Amino acid sequence: MTTATKLKKATFKHIESELYSYKDTLKEIEQLRKDIMFCNENDDENIGGGRNIIPSSPTERIATRLMTHKRLNQLEEVASAIQKVYTGIPEDYQKLVRLRYWTKPQTLTWEGIAGKLFITSRTAQRWRDEIIYSIAETIGWR
């Protein structure tokens, strides 16, 4: 993992926020997909004249909605980047992510997390930085 360019502080915090809410993001993606697939909304905005460009087949219509839903695409991109980085990092780094971001309620400080990993708190924070930078690089954020 490299930290070639410095991330903006807001971007760093945003990625941390996405890590904290990763499990909720997965649930939201699932719910959005269900809403899109099983909702009977009529999205036809063709109010007068001309052919309708929306596919007439229900399967094609659902696939089109799934592919063009901006919120769903954004959530999937972030979740995919987190999953990709998480599966590609060493087990100790994964444990850091689980302890810091996915343990609820969060009762451990950096010193507590470092103690469970048998490292210093500075090393734990350096690992965190590497993980955040890797996620940013995977997503393409700066």
Side-chain angles (χ1 to χ4, degrees):
M1 291 183 255
T2 60
T3 56
T5 59
K6 184 109 171 108
L7 277 179
K8 294 178 184 175
K9 185 176 180 179
T11 304
F12 189 92
K13 293 289 186 188
H14 182 72
I15 293 171
E16 266 199 316
S17 171
E18 292 293 345
L19 271 170
Y20 280 118
S21 64
Y22 176 68
K23 305 283 185 186
D24 295 331
T25 300
L26 294 178
K27 290 177 188 173
E28 188 176 349
I29 288 170
E30 184 179 330
Q31 185 61 46
L32 269 173
R33 288 181 150 279
K34 285 179 183 176
D35 289 348
I36 291 169
M37 289 190 299
F38 302 116
C39 184
N40 290 330
E41 284 181 19
N42 186 3
D43 293 334
D44 188 7
E45 296 176 1
N46 188 13
I47 298 182
R51 279 186 34 195
N52 188 356
I53 61 169
I54 297 174
S56 59
S57 165
T59 305
E60 292 171 352
R61 206 170 24 248
I62 289 170
T64 301
R65 274 196 246 137
L66 285 171
M67 296 301 295
T68 59
H69 196 280
K70 288 181 183 180
R71 175 103 177 112
L72 178 62
N73 290 336
Q74 180 211 14
L75 290 173
E76 286 177 334
E77 180 182 17
V78 170
S80 172
I82 290 172
Q83 182 64 32
K84 181 179 178 182
V85 169
Y86 180 77
T87 57
I89 57 179
E91 178 61 36
D92 288 339
Y93 283 54
Q94 290 179 358
K95 189 172 181 183
L96 173 91
V97 170
R98 288 191 306 269
L99 288 171
R100 178 67 183 180
Y101 299 105
W102 297 343
T103 301
K104 305 230 172 148
Q106 180 55 260
T107 57
L108 296 174
T109 63
W110 278 113
E111 289 78 21
I113 292 169
K116 287 192 179 266
L117 295 171
F118 305 107
I119 57 175
T120 65
S121 63
R122 182 62 199 126
T123 300
Q125 291 172 356
R126 194 176 66 250
W127 288 3
R128 178 223 30 210
D129 292 349
E130 291 177 24
I131 293 165
I132 298 292
Y133 276 81
S134 293
I135 293 170
E137 187 176 316
T138 303
I139 298 174
W141 290 352
R142 54 183 184 90

